[in-house]
């Protein structure tokens, strides 16, 4: 988002621009395909992808689907971005999603009312983050390895919680996390939750020194230490925050199917989250991070999936076009690729 | 960028290699006069020693399969050497080699994939140990390398699902299909069997088909996309390659304002308890059973082989087709998986 780069090099575009362009590309591609191939497979007729109907007083359509299902990925990415900014990574978010959903289902089936069940599940997720953070900070394990432990073991834990079954639950509050459409703004609840978290995290990291501290720990830990930044609690906090976000995403995923599926909930979610953060302009080398970029990146990941459904692309080939688009966006955002493009264009101007 | 790719590659590989361990501890307590599991050389020569290599614990179906085998072994006082391969074929091969070294009476396993078993099965054959495949088949160039295969016929399951739907709709249906994981044997065969059967009915056609990965959440998401499409309003039936995807689709149909089980007939495969509950609720119409409770049949077969009896090359698991007329609250309660 903000650039504190004092160098005379051209000021880069704000991070969310690239994934936003990616989403726009997808929308244009879908709209064109609808128009050009009215007899082809998929959503037929001009404007089918863009069409937004009103069902039960709430908008519905392919675009709304992107906001709906992108919400959970965006929440994961908002949690992941600060962790990556501290030169870390959290591979366990998918497993934590499954654990949180399983914990909520167990609590709900045991008769716990909505609010405590929700709080309990988020607390369990937070505890997972504490475990990761302690491994990273106290034992100085590589974040990759430390969180891999929970990525592998976590799914077993989730299965233990559900007894190796898919647990179905009925709880109005939990279901509201996914199905909810508030009257004052009838948009999908996961999207609203993601947007609220985005505003919250932006305020916390940009209006207060928290963001600066995280970036300082990530860009130069030694300098940060010498300037009196206590990195330990800060890093642990980032992992707890990331896991809590994963817990919320897991509750949304569970609410979507009214069940806790310990086998599939959050499978490969860590990859989607890392992708979302990276296309959103955050470097895996630590330091600067972009929350808005991560949020839009999450929406882009879902935009790709929804496009695959809309265009009837077989799911065994779908990863290829998805990967190509992500690669293009990453390359477009890379300074070296942009410098090359400028040289080719023969104009040493700053922003494109 | 290189680092990004490195991370992701490594994460993917590790994700593939690692897998879940089952909830239950690996020991199988023997209920009758029994020393517990420790592989002490049993003094009673009569005690049957069986090695079983399970793929992992990737689904509720698999967990029920494991539980059935362990329970049945415990009930019969069989010394079961159970090995969980954590989703890795290498581990299965290793487990089978160690069973051969321990000179077990019989080896059974649920192969992760079809290929790559030739060498290890030859070793078992040379050692004179009978091998029983469960749930999935293998490709080997000599069929004598395994004694028998106990499992479902996925093609037949797909055919039965289509047969039920043809009867319920008098051969007229506009169908959307939720496929399983691309490339997996059940997804391929359940599609094949279903298509072969509906080809007999000119009034039945599949107009939408997409993978829901055998997952509830994906089943819901993909079904939403089906219903959004211009052909959506025309759909009168949904065929899902497993119950979980059907259960997700039911929610998608409900939130689209149509009545699952009435406006859109739904038929799926597996017969898990939640599917029976849905049939009781009237939202699912039919589930073709794919029985994971192979334990009793497995040990029956091993005992027959050990007595020197001839067994058929393919032993079909005992399975039924359930629709709403056959499901009561008692039936739901009695489902064990």
């Amino acid at each position: 988002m903000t650039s504190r780069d004092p160098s005379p090099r051209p000021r880069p575009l704000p991070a969310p621009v690239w994934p936003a362009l990616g989403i726009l590309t997808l929308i244009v591609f879908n709209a064109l395909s609808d128009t050009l191939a009215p007899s082809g497979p998929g959503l037929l007729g001009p404007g089918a992808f863009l069409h937004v109907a009103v069902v039960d007083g709430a908008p519905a359509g392919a675009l709304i689907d992107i906001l709906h299902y992108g919400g959970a990925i965006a929440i994961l990415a908002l949690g992941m971005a600060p962790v990556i900014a501290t030169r870390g990574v959290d591979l366990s978010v998918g497993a934590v999603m499954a654990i949180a959903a399983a914990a909520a289902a167990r609590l709900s089936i045991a008769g716990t009312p909505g609010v405590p069940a929700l709080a309990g599940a988020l607390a369990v997720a937070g505890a997972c983050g504490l475990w990761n953070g302690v491994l990273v900070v106290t034992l100085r394990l590589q974040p990759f390895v430390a969180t891999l432990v929970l990525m592998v073991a976590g799914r077993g834990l989730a299965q233990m919680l559900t007894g190796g079954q898919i647990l179905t639950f009925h709880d109005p509050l939990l279901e509201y996390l996914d199905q909810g459409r508030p009257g004052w703004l009838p948009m999908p609840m996961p999207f609203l939750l993601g947007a609220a978290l985005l505003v919250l995290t932006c305020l916390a990291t940009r209006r207060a020194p928290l963001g600066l501290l995280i970036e300082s720990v990530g860009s130069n830990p030694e300098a940060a230490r010498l300037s009196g930044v206590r990195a330990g609690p800060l890093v642990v906090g980032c992992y707890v925050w990331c896991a809590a976000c994963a817990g919320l995403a897991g509750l949304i995923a569970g609410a979507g199917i009214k069940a806790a599926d310990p086998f599939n909930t959050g499978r490969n979610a860590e990859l989607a989250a890392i992708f979302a953060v990276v296309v959103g302009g955050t470097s895996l080398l630590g330091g600067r991070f972009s929350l808005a970029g991560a949020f839009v990146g999450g929406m882009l990941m879902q935009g790709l999936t929804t496009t695959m459904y809309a265009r009837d692309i077989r799911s065994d080939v779908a990863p290829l076009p998805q990967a190509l688009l992500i690669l293009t966006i990453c390359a477009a955002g890379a300074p070296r690729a942009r410098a090359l493009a400028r040289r080719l264009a023969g104009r040493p101007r700053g922003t494109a | 960028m290189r680092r990004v790719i490195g991370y992701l590659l490594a994460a993917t590989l590790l994700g593939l290699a690692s897998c879940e361990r089952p909830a239950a501890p690996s020991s199988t307590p023997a209920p009758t006069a029994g020393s517990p599991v420790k592989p002490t050389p049993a003094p009673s020569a009569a005690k049957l020693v069986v090695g079983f290599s399970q793929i992992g614990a990737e689904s509720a179906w698999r967990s029920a399969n494991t539980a059935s085998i362990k329970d049945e072994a415990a009930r019969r006082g069989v010394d079961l050497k159970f090995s969980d391969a954590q989703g890795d074929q290498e581990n299965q091969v290793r487990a089978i080699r160690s069973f051969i070294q321990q000179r077990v009476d019989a080896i059974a396993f649920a192969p992760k994939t079809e290929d790559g078993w030739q060498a290890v099965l030859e070793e078992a054959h040379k050692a004179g140990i009978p091998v029983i495949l469960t749930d999935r088949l293998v490709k080997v160039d000599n069929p004598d390398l395994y004694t028998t295969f106990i499992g479902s016929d996925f093609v037949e399951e797909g055919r039965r699902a289509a047969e039920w739907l043809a009867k319920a709709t008098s051969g007229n249906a506009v169908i959307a299909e939720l496929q399983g994981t691309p490339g997996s044997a059940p997804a391929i065969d359940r599609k094949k069997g279903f298509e072969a059967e509906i080809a007999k009915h000119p009034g039945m056609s599949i107009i939408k088909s997409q993978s829901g990965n055998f997952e509830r959440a994906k089943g819901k998401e993909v079904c939403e996309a089906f219903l959004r499409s211009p052909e959506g309003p025309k759909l009168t039936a949904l065929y899902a390659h497993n119950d979980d995807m059907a259960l997700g689709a039911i929610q998608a149909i409900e939130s689209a304002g149509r009545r699952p089980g009435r406006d859109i007939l739904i038929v799926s495969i597996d017969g898990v308890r939640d599917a029976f509950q849905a049939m009781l609720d009237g939202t699912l119409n039919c589930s073709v059973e794919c029985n994971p409770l192979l334990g009793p049949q497995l040990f029956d077969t091993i005992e027959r082989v050990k007595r020197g009896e001839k067994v058929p090359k393919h032993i079909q698991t005992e399975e039924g087709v359930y629709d709403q007329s056959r499901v009561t609250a008692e039936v739901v309660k009695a489902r064990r998986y």
Side-chain angles (χ1 to χ4, degrees):
Chain A
M1 283 180 79
T2 51
S3 149
R4 296 191 189 78
D5 192 356
S7 74
R9 278 192 305 163
R11 197 169 178 278
L13 286 174
V17 164
W18 300 106
L21 278 177
I23 296 178
L24 206 64
T25 313
L26 285 176
I27 292 175
V28 169
F29 165 73
N30 276 301
L32 277 180
S33 308
D34 284 340
T35 318
L36 297 179
S39 58
L43 299 170
L44 302 177
F49 192 83
L50 303 177
H51 181 70
V52 176
V54 175
V55 179
D56 293 340
L63 293 177
I64 304 297
D65 279 352
I66 296 179
L67 299 181
H68 183 175
Y69 291 105
I73 308 175
I75 290 171
L76 281 180
L78 286 175
M80 185 73 83
V83 168
I84 288 180
T86 66
R87 293 193 183 178
V89 70
D90 187 348
L91 296 180
S92 69
V93 290
V96 172
M97 283 175 73
I99 292 173
R106 270 295 281 273
L107 288 169
S108 174
I109 288 169
T112 318
V115 176
L118 201 137
L122 288 179
V124 171
C128 292
L130 191 63
W131 162 265
N132 281 335
V134 166
L135 286 186
V136 170
V137 170
T138 314
L139 299 187
R140 296 189 179 276
L141 289 185
Q142 292 271 349
F144 190 94
V145 176
T147 56
L148 185 61
V149 172
L150 190 59
M151 172 182 168
V152 174
R155 244 168 231 290
L157 186 62
Q159 285 177 40
M160 254 170 72
L161 283 172
T162 67
Q165 295 290 322
I166 296 178
L167 277 189
T168 306
F169 59 80
H170 292 287
D171 182 293
L173 179 75
L174 285 175
E175 285 166 27
Y176 192 78
L177 290 180
D178 182 77
Q179 323 277 322
R181 302 284 182 275
W184 46 273
L185 182 59
M187 293 298 273
M189 203 58 196
F191 171 72
L192 295 177
L193 287 170
L197 277 184
L198 173 66
V199 172
L200 263 175
T201 46
C202 279
L203 286 178
T205 56
R206 304 302 178 196
R207 299 278 156 195
L210 185 60
L212 190 63
L213 294 177
I214 292 173
E215 288 180 351
S216 70
V217 168
S219 55
N220 191 334
E222 190 54 24
R225 192 184 65 80
L226 291 174
S227 341
V229 177
R230 290 183 59 215
L234 196 66
V235 172
V236 172
C238 285
Y239 281 93
V240 171
W241 162 252
C242 181
C245 285
L248 181 59
L251 292 181
I252 291 171
I257 53 173
K258 297 176 192 164
D261 178 348
F263 309 102
N264 295 313
T265 297
R267 212 169 52 180
N268 293 340
E270 57 284 336
L271 297 183
I274 294 170
F275 258 139
V277 171
V278 170
V279 297
T282 299
S283 162
L284 285 185
L285 302 176
R288 258 200 331 243
F289 64 104
S290 167
L291 293 167
F295 183 87
V296 182
M299 292 295 158
L300 173 67
M301 298 305 294
Q302 184 58 40
L304 286 164
T305 309
T306 304
T307 300
M308 297 304 138
Y309 296 147
R311 304 264 68 84
D312 268 348
I313 296 174
R314 287 196 352 247
S315 46
D316 45 350
V317 295
L320 185 67
Q322 292 184 349
L324 285 178
L325 187 71
I326 290 169
L327 181 67
T328 314
I329 293 165
C330 286
R336 202 175 285 181
R338 286 214 307 274
L340 190 71
R342 269 198 301 279
R343 213 175 312 144
L344 287 177
R347 49 191 176 113
R349 272 206 297 126
T351 44
Chain B
M1 195 58 223
R2 198 179 307 160
R3 191 140 164 204
V4 177
I5 294 171
Y7 268 133
L8 294 173
L9 253 183
T12 315
L13 290 176
L14 287 163
L16 288 174
S18 59
C19 210
E20 316 73 32
R21 50 188 67 246
S26 59
S27 57
T28 34
T32 46
S35 49
V37 271
K38 278 283 152 204
T40 39
S44 51
K47 192 163 183 180
L48 197 61
V49 184
V50 175
F52 186 86
S53 165
Q54 180 64 284
I55 299 176
E58 77 280 5
S59 65
W61 191 95
R62 188 68 58 195
S63 303
N65 182 241
T66 298
S68 163
I69 289 163
K70 283 185 175 170
D71 291 351
E72 188 65 20
R75 206 178 61 74
R76 298 185 187 214
V78 172
D79 181 0
L80 178 71
K81 297 182 187 307
F82 185 89
S83 159
D84 183 331
Q86 317 258 313
D88 187 355
Q89 182 174 17
E90 284 287 305
N91 289 343
Q92 288 201 293
V93 172
R94 224 169 288 143
I96 294 170
R97 290 228 161 90
S98 92
F99 295 151
I100 297 172
Q101 270 168 13
Q102 296 173 55
R103 318 257 350 137
V104 296
D105 294 312
I107 293 171
F109 71 108
K112 159 111 176 135
T113 53
E114 288 189 336
D115 295 300
W117 300 103
Q118 186 80 26
V120 71
L121 291 191
E122 270 169 8
E123 287 166 36
H125 192 65
K126 222 172 276 170
I129 301 173
V131 171
I132 290 138
L133 307 176
T134 63
D135 162 40
R136 302 180 188 184
L137 264 171
V138 298
K139 274 190 198 137
V140 284
D141 51 22
N142 176 6
D144 290 341
L145 290 184
Y146 63 88
T147 311
T148 181
F149 161 65
I150 305 176
S152 320
D153 181 340
F154 297 138
V155 179
E156 174 65 13
E157 287 167 0
R159 202 194 60 73
R160 284 173 162 190
E163 195 178 57
W164 183 90
L165 191 61
K167 210 156 146 203
T169 62
S170 323
N172 286 301
V174 182
I175 307 162
E177 180 187 34
L178 287 169
Q179 300 174 35
T181 308
S184 68
I188 294 168
D189 289 349
R190 285 172 184 175
K191 184 172 177 59
K192 206 194 288 173
F194 189 86
E195 282 174 347
E197 183 68 20
I198 66 164
K200 296 178 194 161
H201 304 274
M204 296 176 86
S205 62
I206 299 176
I207 62 160
K208 283 270 167 190
S209 185
Q210 177 66 267
S211 169
N213 253 1
F214 286 134
E215 293 172 31
R216 237 182 244 204
K218 282 282 160 200
K220 182 181 175 208
E221 210 179 316
V222 174
C223 186
E224 274 174 4
F226 286 165
L227 295 167
R228 291 241 187 291
S229 68
E231 302 97 315
K234 284 187 244 159
L235 293 175
T236 60
L238 179 95
Y239 166 49
H241 288 187
N242 79 347
D243 289 336
D244 278 325
M245 292 191 292
L247 292 168
I250 286 170
Q251 298 180 22
I253 294 168
E254 275 171 352
S255 56
R258 302 184 69 187
R259 290 170 304 174
R262 301 180 67 180
D263 300 336
I264 297 181
L265 297 189
I266 304 173
V267 49
S268 62
I269 299 175
D270 269 0
V272 301
R273 194 192 293 116
D274 281 355
F276 275 71
Q277 184 61 49
M279 283 191 271
L280 194 63
D281 299 340
T283 51
L284 180 72
N285 298 87
C286 172
S287 185
V288 179
E289 191 177 34
C290 178
N291 191 355
L293 306 179
L294 302 179
Q297 267 183 313
L298 173 64
F299 291 107
D300 277 348
T301 309
I302 291 172
E303 280 165 10
R304 281 175 64 193
V305 170
K306 278 288 144 194
R307 283 198 299 268
E309 288 173 33
K310 195 103 182 90
V311 292
K313 205 70 189 172
H314 178 183
I315 300 173
Q316 177 87 36
T317 41
E318 291 141 11
E319 295 170 335
V321 176
Y322 292 86
D323 63 11
Q324 292 174 356
S325 65
R326 287 182 64 186
V327 176
T328 61
E330 287 72 48
V331 175
V332 176
K333 209 175 275 173
R335 288 309 280 183
R336 287 174 50 207
Y337 61 96

